[in-house]
Amino acid sequence: MDGFMKFIQASPTAFHAVANLAEMLVAAGYQALEERQPWRLQRGGRYYVTRNGSALIAFRLPEGRLDHYQLVASHADSPAFKLKPNPKREAQGYALLNVEKYGGMIMSTWFDRPLSVAGRLAVRTPGGIETKRVYLDRDLALIPNMPIHFNRDVNDGVKLNAQVDMLPVYGAAGADILALAAEAAGVAVEDVAGFDLFLVNRDAPRLWGAQGEYIASPRLDDLECAYASIRALIGAKPSAHGDMACVFDNEEVGSGTRQGADSTLLTDVLTRAARGMDVEDVEAMIAGSFMLSADNAHAVHPNHPEQYDAENRVSMNGGVVVKFNTAQKYTSDGVSQAVFEALCKRAGVPVQRFANRSDIPGGSTLGNIANTHASMPSVDIGLAQLAMHSANESAGVRDLGYMIDAMRTFHETEIEVAGDGDVRISWAD
Ligand code: CO
């Protein structure tokens, strides 16, 4: 938990999360690859590649023939507000940030709490443009609520307009957000040629509950699964297949970007890794691979249990959740569920099953989208959390360890997609 809490605090945006995950991989002996360079891969080698600085795929190769991959997919982005290209506004003597919504957050949870700005700058240099990650690592901004005296109906449901109600104050008129960002990045403000900056919640992750059994934190969806996937890959014993962890960007806005799950990123990496290992039949390799699509799940809310299916609801600290959706927003089916639950049993990890009420459509995620590019048997999993897409979400302290154990066992298990619908499972010992 300690390492995870530090990671989440140091990862205000996908850019930072990817940089921190890359650092963990380098410390574990993984080598960086560049998409624009030729890849010289070695048997038994461990590598990672990033795209846009906000998505990452790490993989390790077997010593022998590369038959298939066992991969985990998650995402690094979270709902937030994003600064518009002309980010400055002034009103009533205040400097405001001109922001818009990125993804579907619960907007009211962003009121009256310390916020700051993070992301990246595009910096003009003699040679062209260079990107620089930036985080104004201090309490900088706040979106004040309207007092109840002017808003008597606020407790009967409040309607918020992102264009009007959600602009944060970050000082007295005259403050210059780009100058502050340039200073934090150590560059001259006149060299800032562009930016991708987000408003971020400054709250530190904290444990709560009678036994400290819960964690409240920004960005648990989906940094919990992203962190677990890298920890599991690093910690897993060598296997006879290829192992991979994919952390995509832009899941919260539909994944349809160069660095999202609806891109060529996964197939590009699978294909290049196959080529480097002299795999002749790449399609057979992909068809024989197996995916865990890992994104957090909804724990039953004690005040509104009626919103959840009576037999398919899950709770925090109850173990890894297998997610089902008959409209196929989740990839789980009877076969992939059976495979995943078998390895959880092997790992001693409890499993819970989630499905929505029939009259609630629920959310979406990325495994089904990635599967339209690289198609393979797949199961959707996650950790049960409360208040999804709140500025502060809550999850169970024991569940993170369960997820890491389940993912590690997944990599240490030989999952052979033997035929159309048959899967052979074997363990190294
Ligand atoms: Co998510």
Side-chain angles (χ1 to χ4, degrees):
M1 258 297 147
D2 204 46
F4 173 62
M5 287 163 78
K6 287 195 179 107
F7 164 75
I8 222 162
Q9 203 166 5
S11 303
T13 72
F15 300 113
H16 297 81
V18 160
N20 292 326
L21 295 172
E23 203 173 289
M24 288 163 62
L25 288 160
V26 168
Y30 279 70
Q31 274 175 265
L33 297 170
E34 286 279 348
E35 282 203 284
R36 285 282 296 148
Q37 301 295 326
W39 290 5
R40 284 180 239 298
L41 306 178
Q42 312 246 308
R43 289 181 182 278
R46 290 169 290 175
Y47 307 94
Y48 74 92
V49 60
T50 63
R51 186 179 280 184
N52 192 49
S54 61
L56 174 149
I57 294 186
F59 61 97
R60 60 179 200 184
L61 298 166
E63 292 290 348
R65 190 178 81 87
L66 176 60
D67 177 75
H68 70 275
Y69 269 95
Q70 293 176 204
L71 59 105
V72 179
S74 62
H75 67 92
D77 63 320
S78 309
F81 292 88
K82 191 167 191 275
L83 273 62
K84 290 187 183 177
N86 292 322
K88 294 184 229 169
R89 185 180 290 193
E90 294 192 348
Q92 309 304 314
Y94 296 107
L96 306 176
L97 294 172
N98 191 14
V99 296
E100 60 189 317
K101 281 168 72 182
Y102 173 88
M105 78 289 286
I106 305 174
M107 287 204 281
S108 61
T109 61
W110 285 71
F111 284 122
D112 304 324
R113 58 173 74 244
L115 308 168
S116 191
V117 167
R120 72 169 175 194
L121 302 179
V123 181
R124 212 177 281 112
T125 67
I129 301 294
E130 258 174 39
T131 55
K132 226 167 157 78
R133 257 189 326 281
V134 63
Y135 180 25
L136 281 78
D137 194 1
R138 61 193 171 90
D139 298 338
L140 175 77
L142 187 142
I143 313 172
N145 245 308
M146 278 297 285
I148 195 164
H149 313 82
F150 301 136
N151 197 7
R152 292 284 181 194
D153 297 331
V154 65
N155 295 323
D156 301 325
V158 58
K159 205 167 162 45
L160 298 172
N161 180 331
Q163 178 68 21
V164 177
D165 299 304
M166 304 309 295
L167 305 192
V169 174
Y170 72 105
D176 181 349
I177 185 60
L178 293 183
L180 294 171
E183 188 189 356
V187 300
V189 66
E190 48 285 5
D191 292 334
V192 176
F195 56 84
D196 299 290
L197 293 173
F198 293 87
L199 195 63
V200 298
N201 178 11
R202 288 276 301 160
D203 286 336
R206 66 197 74 183
L207 303 185
W208 61 279
Q211 315 279 339
E213 62 267 65
Y214 308 122
I215 176 175
S217 169
R219 304 179 291 280
L220 289 179
D221 166 20
D222 189 30
L223 290 186
E224 221 179 359
C225 291
Y227 178 83
S229 75
I230 299 298
R231 280 284 305 271
L233 183 68
I234 288 170
K237 289 194 231 85
S239 66
H241 53 263
D243 287 300
M244 186 177 277
C246 315
V247 183
F248 292 104
D249 192 7
N250 300 133
E251 190 276 340
E252 300 295 354
V253 290
S255 295
T257 63
R258 187 170 72 94
Q259 56 280 348
D262 199 0
S263 73
T264 60
L265 178 58
L266 174 57
T267 40
D268 289 350
V269 174
L270 286 169
T271 306
R272 295 182 75 172
R275 208 182 288 145
M277 290 288 280
D278 301 319
V279 173
E280 271 173 30
D281 197 340
V282 178
E283 291 82 358
M285 181 197 83
I286 292 174
S289 294
F290 195 100
M291 183 192 299
L292 306 184
S293 166
D295 199 358
N296 271 357
H298 301 294
V300 62
H301 194 297
N303 299 347
H304 286 285
E306 75 284 358
Q307 295 288 325
Y308 304 76
D309 183 81
E311 316 301 335
N312 294 279
R313 52 177 68 159
V314 299
S315 43
M316 298 190 292
N317 287 320
V320 176
V321 178
V322 185
K323 298 150 71 177
F324 296 85
N325 175 257
T326 189
Q328 306 301 303
K329 296 280 187 214
Y330 303 141
T331 57
S332 315
D333 61 20
V335 178
S336 61
Q337 164 203 7
V339 171
F340 182 71
E341 291 187 4
L343 50 102
C344 283
K345 187 158 185 238
R346 169 85 180 188
V349 167
V351 174
Q352 332 181 61
R353 297 168 185 167
F354 176 87
N356 275 301
R357 279 179 61 106
S358 308
D359 49 5
I360 292 180
S364 61
T365 181
L366 46 72
N368 61 326
I369 295 171
N371 227 287
T372 62
H373 297 273
S375 309
M376 62 188 73
S378 173
V379 57
D380 267 81
I381 60 171
L383 294 177
Q385 63 161 84
L386 290 171
M388 189 174 284
H389 292 192
S390 168
N392 267 311
E393 303 170 326
S394 283
V397 162
R398 284 198 297 282
D399 288 332
L400 178 65
Y402 289 146
M403 182 60 96
I404 294 171
D405 287 349
M407 288 176 172
R408 191 173 48 224
T409 302
F410 168 64
H411 291 307
E412 292 173 354
T413 303
E414 281 301 313
I415 299 172
E416 194 193 335
V417 179
D420 197 11
D422 293 337
V423 180
R424 279 200 280 272
I425 304 172
S426 57
W427 285 278
D429 58 15

